[in-house]
Amino acid sequence: MRIAVGSRREPKIAGVTMALERLADLPWPGEEVALAPVDVASGQADTPLSREATLAGARARARAALAAVLAGEDLAHVIDRHANEHDVRSRQGAFGVLTAGVLTRADAYVQAVLTALAPWYKGQWEG
């Protein structure tokens, strides 16, 4: 299994590596896992100045990295084929299929929303 990382920056690669280490004792994926860092453009400034720019850059990097590993095949088709189902994205999504239901699409959104709202619930930034 090749896992694309849309960056060659060490913190991002380290984050993916640490996540994989947490999963190392599980009986998955049944094959060797190899990281594939891909230097792709985000289309945004190196340090985005807004939430919108950050999200746009992350999406652009993810799409570009996916395209470089799948040669342009749409994730929805890959997941449907892998799960031997139709329209997975409208139900459990890739998260549900790839984690055998341990994580759902909703779980992923919980993390994203908590992260996005951190500046408000944490309080003012200290300078």
Side-chain angles (χ1 to χ4, degrees), residues 75-127:
L75 178 60
H77 298 129
V78 173
I79 293 298
D80 281 355
R81 185 172 62 243
H82 174 75
N84 197 28
E85 295 182 30
H86 177 71
D87 199 25
V88 167
R89 67 182 175 181
S90 293
R91 294 183 314 282
Q92 73 270 34
F95 280 96
V97 170
L98 296 175
T99 67
V102 173
L103 291 175
T104 65
R105 290 179 79 187
D107 294 325
Y109 292 124
V110 168
Q111 295 297 314
V113 170
L114 290 174
T115 301
L117 295 177
W120 289 275
Y121 68 75
K122 181 193 175 295
Q124 296 295 319
W125 291 99
E126 296 178 19

Side-chain angles (χ1 to χ4, degrees), residues 10 25 34 44 55 58 74 90 98 107 124:
E10 185 56 33
D25 292 334
Q44 302 295 320
L55 293 174
D74 187 84
S90 293
L98 296 175
D107 294 325
Q124 296 295 319

Side-chain angles (χ1 to χ4, degrees), residues 5-19 35 37 40 42 46 48 54 57-58 61:
V5 179
S7 176
R8 292 189 184 273
R9 295 195 182 273
E10 185 56 33
K12 293 177 183 179
I13 295 170
V16 175
T17 300
M18 288 188 294
L35 291 184
V40 294
S42 69
D46 286 343
T54 299
R61 285 183 185 277

Side-chain angles (χ1 to χ4, degrees), residues 16-31 33:
V16 175
T17 300
M18 288 188 294
L20 292 174
E21 287 171 353
R22 291 184 185 181
L23 300 173
D25 292 334
L26 297 177
W28 79 282
E31 59 187 278
V33 175

